[in-house]
Amino acid sequence: MNGAICEFGGFLCLVLTSPDVISVYYVGKGIYMQKKTRDNMVYIAVMFLTGVVCGIFGVRQWLGGTGQSVSAGQEIVRLVFLLFFLYVGFWIQMIIHEAGHLVFGLLSGYSFSSFRIGSVMLTKKGKKLEWKQYSLMRTGGQCLMVPPNDSLEKIPYVLYNMGGVIANVVASMILVWIAKVLPSSGIRSGICMITAIAGLGSALMNGIPLHMEMIDNDGANTVSISKSEEAKRCFVSQMYINAYTTKGMRLKDMPDMWFRIPDEESRKNALCAENGVFACLRAIDQMDFEKARKIGYQMIGEDNGMAGIYRQILQAEMMYCEMIREKQSGGVEQLKTKELDKFLKTMKKNPSVQRIEYVYHLLELHDEEEAQKDLERFEQTAKTYPNECEIEGERELIAYAREIFEKRSAG
């Protein structure tokens, strides 16, 4: 996971209010936890401590120390400025984090594919660079690259995966040095220290191997690859899949070997489990819906290492596969859980989610008016979406569902 702005926003609520309020904030943003695992608690603890330390340095170095007598109005103004620069500091460190992945990826022999901060994405199409819009739940940024064309044993992965963490640490050390050179009390010194601490917090949140409910972080991915040659193969396959999707190739046209599903034991590794997700999505792109159902339900039903975001993606795709079946089993409502509803709301600007919502309103609820609104939202998204090949595939799936609706209406 490359530095997520969503987590930083949640952190602000934690510092300003309480752990109860952070839960409300996360749900409000669509970032939820089904259960509080150890890794989730570690992550929240690091966010909390980062906020506390930033607050202490902000008061001591910028606000003039705890002994200064100021009015209530001045305190409020200073607090607002402190929080503003804290927010800006996290944004700066997130950009540094993604730049670290880029720089260390290039040094490791990788080539550029895409670079995203928030929903603004720079992609490479042939020899051209294009600006597009894309966002992914629980990631505020992402730098995707193409692995060097080496044998699997020689593929470098540590520096690329941990490049963001290294960049955050180096940047923080430089900022601390600058803060020491500046006067000990003042706005510039305070901003430097706050940004430095934010960087160290980001390094810890991404560097400590954590298997989160929704997605694994950089440290966890690095450890997963180090434990298994199969995980390394899956990592390389997924990087190629992402890169060739950016180049305009459909999943159905990519080599079979990239979608090989590891055995059940290997799928306890998160990266290996994710190859099963891509295999399911490829079967859907091939319109082999029975194969997709077989893979999807197997992945959802077993105890594997699949990250929560991929589990929700598969559950949503299984809804589509159920809704278009000639003989429906009534499993759509069982799949459409409260957790999936939250996921769909959070990912509402994703074209595949818009397609699934369209089909749900059309085939399940028979609400053509709402389905038309979904279609209009899809067309709006398509204008700025980075991967035209994905839009092409989504249009085919939408058209297929429409044909089924017309047949059922005529029958």
Side-chain angles (χ1 to χ4, degrees):
M1 177 183 65
N2 303 334
I5 189 65
C6 293
E7 282 88 341
F8 297 152
F11 144 76
L12 288 175
C13 282
L14 180 61
V15 173
L16 290 173
T17 54
S18 69
D20 290 331
V21 175
I22 192 174
S23 298
V24 175
Y25 179 92
Y26 272 85
V27 171
K29 290 294 184 183
I31 303 173
Y32 53 89
M33 295 185 292
Q34 294 177 350
K35 57 182 179 178
K36 290 185 178 180
T37 62
R38 182 202 64 180
D39 287 358
N40 282 108
M41 297 307 296
V42 170
Y43 194 88
I44 291 172
V46 172
M47 286 193 291
F48 177 76
L49 290 173
T50 302
V52 170
V53 176
C54 282
I56 292 172
F57 274 94
V59 170
R60 288 185 178 277
Q61 289 196 261
W62 177 21
L63 303 186
T66 57
Q68 186 176 3
S69 178
V70 294
S71 67
Q74 288 175 312
E75 287 182 349
I76 292 172
V77 171
R78 289 177 172 184
L79 179 60
V80 169
F81 274 99
L82 173 63
L83 294 177
F84 172 75
F85 285 113
L86 178 57
Y87 184 72
V88 172
F90 274 120
W91 269 101
I92 291 170
Q93 288 291 355
M94 183 167 57
I95 295 170
I96 291 171
H97 183 95
E98 299 309 327
H101 286 295
L102 176 62
V103 170
F104 283 97
L106 292 172
L107 290 174
S108 299
Y110 288 66
S111 56
F112 177 81
S113 179
S114 66
F115 186 92
R116 177 175 61 86
I117 298 295
S119 61
V120 179
M121 186 175 189
L122 182 65
T123 65
K124 186 177 181 181
K125 299 292 179 70
K127 294 183 179 181
K128 294 182 179 180
L129 295 176
E130 297 181 1
W131 292 101
K132 297 289 183 177
Q133 284 189 314
Y134 176 76
S135 60
L136 180 64
M137 182 179 180
R138 289 303 294 268
T139 62
Q142 201 170 32
C143 177
L144 296 176
M145 305 188 77
V146 187
N149 189 23
D150 292 330
S151 62
L152 187 63
E153 295 78 15
K154 294 182 179 180
I155 292 290
Y157 63 90
V158 176
L159 285 180
Y160 166 66
N161 277 284
M162 298 301 290
V165 173
I166 296 169
N168 284 142
V169 172
V170 172
S172 295
M173 292 173 65
I174 293 172
L175 286 166
V176 169
W177 176 78
I178 294 173
K180 293 296 182 183
V181 172
L182 295 170
S184 60
S185 178
I187 186 171
R188 290 177 296 175
S189 177
I191 291 172
C192 286
M193 286 304 299
I194 287 172
T195 307
I197 296 165
L200 293 175
S202 175
L204 289 172
M205 286 185 280
N206 287 283
I208 300 172
L210 297 175
H211 299 279
M212 312 290 283
E213 248 85 25
M214 296 308 293
I215 197 165
D216 288 0
N217 68 2
D218 295 331
N221 286 335
T222 304
V223 172
S224 292
I225 298 170
S226 70
K227 288 183 176 180
S228 162
E229 284 296 302
E230 185 70 6
K232 186 189 288 188
R233 180 190 69 80
C234 291
F235 163 73
V236 172
S237 295
Q238 290 160 32
M239 297 299 289
Y240 276 123
I241 290 169
N242 285 317
Y244 277 81
T245 299
T246 301
K247 291 180 180 180
M249 184 180 289
R250 296 269 296 271
L251 295 181
K252 66 178 184 177
D253 299 322
M254 294 182 190
D256 294 341
M257 63 181 180
W258 292 352
F259 300 89
R260 194 178 79 205
I261 304 175
D263 59 41
E264 186 174 355
E265 183 62 29
S266 296
R267 289 197 297 272
K268 292 180 180 178
N269 184 300
L271 288 169
C272 293
E274 286 164 21
N275 249 48
V277 177
F278 282 104
C280 179
L281 297 178
R282 186 186 192 225
I284 291 173
D285 196 36
Q286 295 170 326
M287 291 201 167
D288 189 345
F289 300 116
E290 287 307 309
K291 179 180 179 181
R293 288 181 73 253
K294 182 180 179 181
I295 297 172
Y297 279 119
Q298 180 183 11
M299 294 297 299
I300 292 172
E302 70 182 14
D303 181 20
N304 56 44
M306 183 167 54
I309 190 170
Y310 289 110
R311 189 171 296 276
Q312 299 296 342
I313 287 171
L314 282 189
Q315 202 163 320
E317 293 294 352
M318 290 304 97
M319 273 185 61
Y320 177 87
C321 291
E322 290 295 338
M323 289 185 290
I324 62 172
R325 291 186 78 193
E326 184 176 347
K327 294 182 179 180
Q328 291 180 291
S329 60
V332 175
E333 291 305 324
Q334 293 179 349
L335 288 165
K336 203 171 190 299
T337 60
K338 290 182 179 179
E339 288 77 15
L340 183 60
D341 280 338
K342 293 173 184 176
F343 171 80
L344 294 175
K345 288 177 182 177
T346 303
M347 297 285 288
K348 63 184 178 181
K349 293 185 179 180
N350 184 282
S352 64
V353 169
Q354 291 167 337
R355 178 249 305 170
I356 291 165
E357 291 283 14
Y358 167 81
V359 177
Y360 180 72
H361 286 122
L362 189 68
L363 296 182
E364 196 70 13
L365 301 184
H366 310 291
D367 187 342
E368 289 190 73
E369 184 178 345
E370 194 61 37
Q372 183 59 33
K373 292 179 182 178
D374 293 324
L375 195 57
E376 290 171 3
R377 284 189 283 267
F378 172 83
E379 293 299 339
Q380 192 64 32
T381 298
K383 293 177 182 179
T384 56
Y385 195 73
N387 302 324
E388 294 177 9
C389 61
E390 288 186 55
I391 296 297
E392 178 186 328
E394 296 297 342
R395 291 191 196 282
E396 290 179 6
L397 294 171
I398 287 171
Y400 184 76
R402 185 72 197 185
E403 288 177 14
I404 291 174
F405 174 76
E406 291 173 355
K407 287 179 182 178
R408 290 178 185 175
S409 298

